Amino acid sequence: MILIRVIVGVVFLTEGILKFVYPGELGAGRFAHIGLPFPHVLAPCVGAVEIAAGGALILGVYAGDAALLLLVVILTAIVTTKVPILLGHPLGRFAPARLDHYGVLSFIHEARTDLSMLFGLVAILLDGGMRLGLKKR
């Protein structure tokens, strides 16, 4: 479980840092291209959550709470960027990337990292649970 926490944490930590280092490609610019609202506000907020929660996973501090926050991030990423690839047409305002092929196999190929992070986060949640908001008995 430690290895899963560390690799998932490292991926989110580095992606959060990259949103600040390359804002045009991976931060606000990418969010605007995807069609997310308020990209100049949302991208730094998501980046900060990824850095803080990724660090928490690596350190094993409030890992379940961090995993829950990151589940929101990764599910949003999958719905806005990968589900349109699965469908082969836009999902609301979110258009699919330009690819040679669409459908299940293209979705699995394009979403392989996102799906790995999703399942890793679910495993962390199931293993450790959440601490904040729970009363001690």
Side-chain angles (χ1 to χ4, degrees):
M1 203 60 218
I2 292 171
L3 295 176
I4 292 172
R5 265 198 1 256
V6 169
I7 190 59
V8 171
V10 166
V11 169
F12 278 105
L13 177 69
T14 56
E15 288 298 318
I17 291 169
L18 288 170
K19 281 178 180 56
F20 292 101
V21 175
Y22 302 114
E25 297 89 5
L26 301 172
R30 176 152 171 77
F31 280 41
H33 177 75
I34 292 168
L36 293 169
F38 309 107
H40 287 80
V41 175
L42 190 58
C45 289
V46 170
V49 166
E50 288 177 336
I51 291 168
L57 290 181
I58 293 167
L59 298 173
V61 179
Y62 292 103
D65 300 292
L68 187 64
L69 289 173
L70 293 172
L71 271 173
V72 173
V73 171
I74 201 65
L75 287 171
T76 302
I78 291 170
V79 168
T80 59
T81 64
K82 303 309 186 289
V83 170
I85 293 170
L86 175 65
L87 300 174
H89 58 78
L91 177 64
R93 67 190 329 184
F94 308 114
R98 295 187 193 275
L99 301 171
D100 291 334
H101 307 282
Y102 297 95
V104 175
L105 293 178
S106 290
F107 168 79
I108 292 171
H109 173 73
E110 295 294 328
R112 63 192 180 276
T113 303
D114 292 355
L115 294 172
S116 296
M117 295 301 103
L118 175 66
F119 290 120
L121 291 168
V122 170
I124 292 164
L125 252 179
L126 292 174
D127 180 61
M130 294 176 32
R131 292 185 181 181
L132 293 179
L134 297 179
K135 292 182 179 180
K136 292 184 180 182
R137 293 184 182 187

